Protein backbone atom coordinates (compact mmCIF):
# COMPACT_ATOMS: atom_id res chain seq x y z
CA UNK A 1 0.00 0.00 0.00
CA UNK A 2 2.89 2.37 0.73
CA UNK A 3 4.35 1.88 -2.75
CA UNK A 4 0.95 2.51 -4.35
CA UNK A 5 0.60 5.80 -2.46
CA UNK A 6 4.12 6.80 -3.48
CA UNK A 7 3.42 5.94 -7.13
CA UNK A 8 0.20 7.99 -7.05
CA UNK A 9 2.05 10.95 -5.54
CA UNK A 10 4.75 10.74 -8.21
CA UNK A 11 2.13 10.71 -10.96
CA UNK A 12 0.44 13.75 -9.45
CA UNK A 13 3.77 15.58 -9.15
CA UNK A 14 4.80 14.79 -12.73
CA UNK A 15 1.97 16.87 -14.17
CA UNK A 16 2.05 20.61 -13.40
CA UNK A 17 -0.27 21.61 -10.51
CA UNK A 18 -3.10 22.82 -12.76
CA UNK A 19 -3.04 19.60 -14.81
CA UNK A 20 -4.25 16.05 -14.47
CA UNK A 21 -4.11 12.92 -16.56
CA UNK A 22 -7.91 13.01 -16.99
CA UNK A 23 -7.77 16.59 -18.31
CA UNK A 24 -4.88 15.72 -20.62
CA UNK A 25 -6.91 12.91 -22.20
CA UNK A 26 -10.03 15.06 -22.22
CA UNK A 27 -8.21 17.85 -24.08
CA UNK A 28 -6.84 15.41 -26.66
CA UNK A 29 -9.73 13.05 -27.44
CA UNK A 30 -7.80 11.34 -30.25
CA UNK A 31 -5.50 9.83 -27.62
CA UNK A 32 -8.41 7.84 -26.23
CA UNK A 33 -8.25 5.73 -29.40
CA UNK A 34 -4.57 4.88 -28.98
CA UNK A 35 -3.88 5.02 -25.24
CA UNK A 36 -5.17 2.95 -22.39
CA UNK A 37 -7.35 5.20 -20.19
CA UNK A 38 -5.05 5.13 -17.16
CA UNK A 39 -2.90 7.55 -15.21
CA UNK A 40 0.24 5.68 -16.17
CA UNK A 41 -0.47 5.67 -19.92
CA UNK A 42 -1.47 9.35 -19.99
CA UNK A 43 1.54 10.39 -17.92
CA UNK A 44 3.95 8.36 -20.03
CA UNK A 45 2.55 9.89 -23.23
CA UNK A 46 2.67 13.43 -21.81
CA UNK A 47 6.24 13.03 -20.55
CA UNK A 48 7.52 11.34 -23.74
CA UNK A 49 5.66 13.43 -26.33
CA UNK A 50 2.97 15.78 -25.11
CA UNK A 51 5.11 18.00 -22.91
CA UNK A 52 7.68 18.69 -25.65
CA UNK A 53 4.90 19.24 -28.21
CA UNK A 54 3.22 21.77 -25.93
CA UNK A 55 0.07 19.68 -25.51
CA UNK A 56 -2.37 21.16 -23.03
CA UNK A 57 -2.94 19.18 -19.83
CA UNK A 58 -4.89 21.82 -17.90
CA UNK A 59 -8.44 21.32 -16.74
CA UNK A 60 -10.86 23.41 -18.76
CA UNK A 61 -13.93 25.11 -17.43
CA UNK A 62 -15.79 23.16 -14.84
CA UNK A 63 -14.01 19.83 -15.14
CA UNK A 64 -12.27 20.68 -11.87
CA UNK A 65 -15.57 20.60 -9.96
CA UNK A 66 -16.52 17.38 -11.74
CA UNK A 67 -13.23 15.89 -10.65
CA UNK A 68 -13.80 17.00 -7.04
CA UNK A 69 -17.30 15.50 -7.00
CA UNK A 70 -16.02 12.23 -8.47
CA UNK A 71 -13.27 12.11 -5.83
CA UNK A 72 -15.80 12.57 -3.01
CA UNK A 73 -18.05 9.89 -4.54
CA UNK A 74 -15.10 7.47 -4.73
CA UNK A 75 -14.45 8.07 -1.04
CA UNK A 76 -18.13 7.34 -0.32
CA UNK A 77 -17.89 4.06 -2.24
CA UNK A 78 -14.78 3.08 -0.27
CA UNK A 79 -16.67 3.64 2.99
CA UNK A 80 -19.75 1.63 1.96
CA UNK A 81 -18.07 -1.68 2.79
CA UNK A 82 -17.27 -0.58 6.34
CA UNK A 83 -19.88 -1.28 9.01
CA UNK A 84 -18.58 0.80 11.91
CA UNK A 85 -20.29 3.97 13.15
CA UNK A 86 -17.32 6.22 12.39
CA UNK A 87 -17.26 5.16 8.74
CA UNK A 88 -21.04 5.63 8.51
CA UNK A 89 -20.78 9.13 9.97
CA UNK A 90 -17.94 10.02 7.60
CA UNK A 91 -19.94 8.63 4.66
CA UNK A 92 -22.98 10.75 5.57
CA UNK A 93 -20.77 13.84 5.81
CA UNK A 94 -19.27 13.13 2.39
CA UNK A 95 -22.73 12.55 0.88
CA UNK A 96 -23.82 15.96 2.19
CA UNK A 97 -20.65 17.51 0.80
CA UNK A 98 -21.21 15.95 -2.65
CA UNK A 99 -24.84 17.09 -2.65
CA UNK A 100 -23.82 20.66 -1.76
CA UNK A 101 -21.14 20.68 -4.46
CA UNK A 102 -23.70 19.64 -7.06
CA UNK A 103 -26.37 22.08 -5.89
CA UNK A 104 -23.99 25.04 -5.78
CA UNK A 105 -22.56 24.28 -9.22
CA UNK A 106 -25.86 25.02 -10.95
CA UNK A 107 -26.64 28.76 -11.11
CA UNK A 108 -29.23 30.21 -8.69
CA UNK A 109 -32.76 29.19 -9.68
CA UNK A 110 -31.57 26.04 -11.42
CA UNK A 111 -31.67 22.38 -10.44
CA UNK A 112 -30.71 19.16 -12.11
CA UNK A 113 -34.37 18.08 -12.14
CA UNK A 114 -35.42 21.26 -13.97
CA UNK A 115 -32.59 20.86 -16.47
CA UNK A 116 -33.79 17.36 -17.32
CA UNK A 117 -37.44 18.52 -17.36
CA UNK A 118 -36.57 21.33 -19.78
CA UNK A 119 -34.89 18.88 -22.15
CA UNK A 120 -37.03 15.73 -22.08
CA UNK A 121 -34.92 13.98 -24.73
CA UNK A 122 -32.03 13.84 -22.24
CA UNK A 123 -34.06 11.45 -20.07
CA UNK A 124 -33.66 8.86 -22.82
CA UNK A 125 -29.86 9.12 -22.94
CA UNK A 126 -28.85 10.12 -19.41
CA UNK A 127 -29.23 8.38 -16.11
CA UNK A 128 -31.83 10.31 -14.06
CA UNK A 129 -29.32 11.42 -11.40
CA UNK A 130 -27.83 14.66 -10.15
CA UNK A 131 -24.38 13.58 -11.22
CA UNK A 132 -25.39 12.71 -14.80
CA UNK A 133 -27.41 15.91 -15.25
CA UNK A 134 -24.64 18.07 -13.81
CA UNK A 135 -21.97 16.48 -16.00
CA UNK A 136 -24.09 16.99 -19.09
CA UNK A 137 -24.90 20.60 -18.20
CA UNK A 138 -21.24 21.42 -17.48
CA UNK A 139 -19.95 19.73 -20.63
CA UNK A 140 -22.69 20.72 -23.08
CA UNK A 141 -25.61 22.68 -21.70
CA UNK A 142 -23.82 25.59 -20.06
CA UNK A 143 -21.75 26.56 -23.13
CA UNK A 144 -24.78 26.09 -25.41
CA UNK A 145 -26.95 28.37 -23.29
CA UNK A 146 -29.30 25.60 -22.20
CA UNK A 147 -31.92 26.56 -19.63
CA UNK A 148 -31.63 24.81 -16.27
CA UNK A 149 -34.12 27.07 -14.49
CA UNK A 150 -37.39 25.99 -12.98
CA UNK A 151 -39.45 28.66 -14.73
CA UNK A 152 -42.25 26.30 -15.68
CA UNK A 153 -42.98 24.95 -12.20
CA UNK A 154 -45.91 25.93 -9.98
CA UNK A 155 -43.83 27.91 -7.47
CA UNK A 156 -42.64 30.33 -10.14
CA UNK A 157 -46.19 30.71 -11.45
CA UNK A 158 -47.35 31.76 -7.99
CA UNK A 159 -44.55 34.34 -7.77
CA UNK A 160 -45.45 35.73 -11.21
CA UNK A 161 -49.13 36.07 -10.25
CA UNK A 162 -48.30 37.98 -7.05
CA UNK A 163 -45.99 40.47 -8.83
Amino acid sequence: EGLEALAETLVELAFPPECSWECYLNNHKHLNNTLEHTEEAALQHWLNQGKDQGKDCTCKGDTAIEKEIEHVEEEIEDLEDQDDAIAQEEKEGLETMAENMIVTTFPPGCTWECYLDNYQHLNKVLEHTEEAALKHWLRHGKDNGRDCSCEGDESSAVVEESE
Side-chain angles (χ1 to χ4, degrees):
E1 191 170 293
L3 287 178
E4 287 178 24
L6 177 61
E8 192 170 310
T9 301
L10 290 173
V11 167
E12 289 172 8
L13 293 175
F15 278 108
E18 68 279 1
C19 292
S20 75
W21 69 275
E22 295 101 331
C23 295
Y24 179 63
L25 292 179
N26 212 20
N27 293 343
H28 306 283
K29 301 259 188 239
H30 66 281
L31 294 177
N32 290 318
N33 298 330
T34 56
L35 291 181
E36 188 179 343
H37 193 79
T38 63
E39 283 179 319
E40 294 80 13
L43 178 62
Q44 183 177 4
H45 186 275
W46 188 76
L47 289 172
N48 292 336
Q49 296 173 20
K51 185 176 178 181
D52 292 339
Q53 295 172 359
K55 290 195 181 275
D56 186 10
C57 61
T58 59
C59 298
K60 303 287 183 230
D62 296 301
T63 51
I65 189 72
E66 285 181 67
K67 193 172 164 191
E68 285 180 50
I69 292 168
E70 286 176 12
H71 178 72
V72 170
E73 289 175 345
E74 286 172 5
E75 288 184 44
I76 291 168
E77 284 179 25
D78 291 344
L79 291 169
E80 285 181 355
D81 295 333
Q82 299 177 25
D83 289 334
D84 61 89
I86 294 171
Q88 184 62 29
E89 189 176 316
E90 187 176 342
K91 180 181 168 221
E92 289 171 5
L94 288 170
E95 287 170 342
T96 301
M97 180 190 296
E99 174 74 23
N100 289 337
M101 291 168 78
I102 290 169
V103 169
T104 58
T105 301
F106 277 106
C110 288
T111 67
W112 68 276
E113 294 98 331
C114 292
Y115 179 62
L116 292 180
D117 286 346
N118 292 342
Y119 301 94
Q120 293 288 320
H121 68 281
L122 294 178
N123 290 310
K124 296 176 185 169
V125 294
L126 292 180
E127 217 179 312
H128 194 76
T129 64
E130 290 172 313
E131 182 181 0
L134 177 63
K135 279 184 180 181
H136 188 275
W137 186 77
L138 289 172
R139 292 179 182 171
H140 307 287
K142 183 177 178 182
D143 290 339
N144 291 321
R146 294 231 173 142
D147 182 16
C148 61
S149 68
C150 303
E151 293 299 317
D153 71 11
E154 293 174 20
S155 61
S156 64
V158 171
V159 171
E160 289 170 14
E161 287 174 19
S162 66
E163 291 181 346

